[in-house]
Amino acid sequence: MDAYGHVNNVRIAAILEEARVHAFGVPAGTGAAGPPAPVSLLDGVPDTVQTLIAEHRIRYRRPLEYRTVPVRVWVWVAAVKGASIEVAYSLRDGVDETECVTATTTMVFVDSATGRPVRLSASQRDTLNHIGG
């Protein structure tokens, strides 16, 4: 919580990250293995490919009050492009389900040696196109 009495904007960005990792898994070459992600977007991505965040857009619709119940986060793939995806979010108050924040994140896949974009595979695009919002 910040001086204005609601969840701080920096914490909101961290909640978005947690939702992405929970939905899609841990990027190759980082973190430790855990339970499988609901959407296996990052499974099979070689260690030579980095998953980077190119952009966040966050719209604060109303203050997200600090509560003793967790915020509810809806996350989905809004757009699939050649070497990137746009992830969309809706953060809702855990008590009354009021939408407090909407956001999007552009994730890009980059060859770590060359810095060039790496295109999504046909199976990744197919999976993403079937789960999109």
Side-chain angles (χ1 to χ4, degrees):
M1 200 164 65
D2 66 13
Y4 296 107
H6 53 78
V7 177
N8 183 277
N9 64 327
V10 173
R11 183 65 187 127
I12 294 294
I15 291 169
L16 300 179
E17 177 185 27
E18 290 173 20
R20 263 192 329 277
V21 170
H22 179 76
F24 302 128
V26 177
T30 64
V39 176
S40 59
L41 169 66
L42 301 175
D43 289 352
V45 173
D47 287 345
T48 58
V49 175
Q50 294 179 297
T51 306
L52 303 176
I53 303 305
E55 181 177 15
H56 287 300
R57 290 177 300 275
I58 302 172
R59 176 164 289 173
Y60 300 95
R61 302 205 172 270
R62 69 169 274 222
L64 180 60
E65 305 272 338
Y66 189 84
R67 305 270 194 184
T68 58
V69 297
V71 62
R72 292 181 45 93
V73 181
W74 299 4
V75 59
W76 65 96
V77 175
V80 180
K81 300 176 182 173
S84 68
I85 63 171
E86 186 172 283
V87 179
Y89 315 83
S90 174
L91 277 63
R92 297 175 181 241
D93 185 289
V95 172
D96 65 12
E97 292 292 320
T98 300
E99 186 173 64
C100 299
V101 176
T102 57
T104 58
T105 298
T106 302
M107 290 175 55
V108 296
F109 302 93
V110 177
D111 183 292
S112 57
T114 67
R116 293 180 185 245
V118 174
R119 295 187 65 77
L120 293 165
S121 70
S123 69
Q124 286 172 315
R125 283 193 309 275
D126 185 54
T127 298
L128 292 168
N129 281 320
H130 285 90
I131 62 154

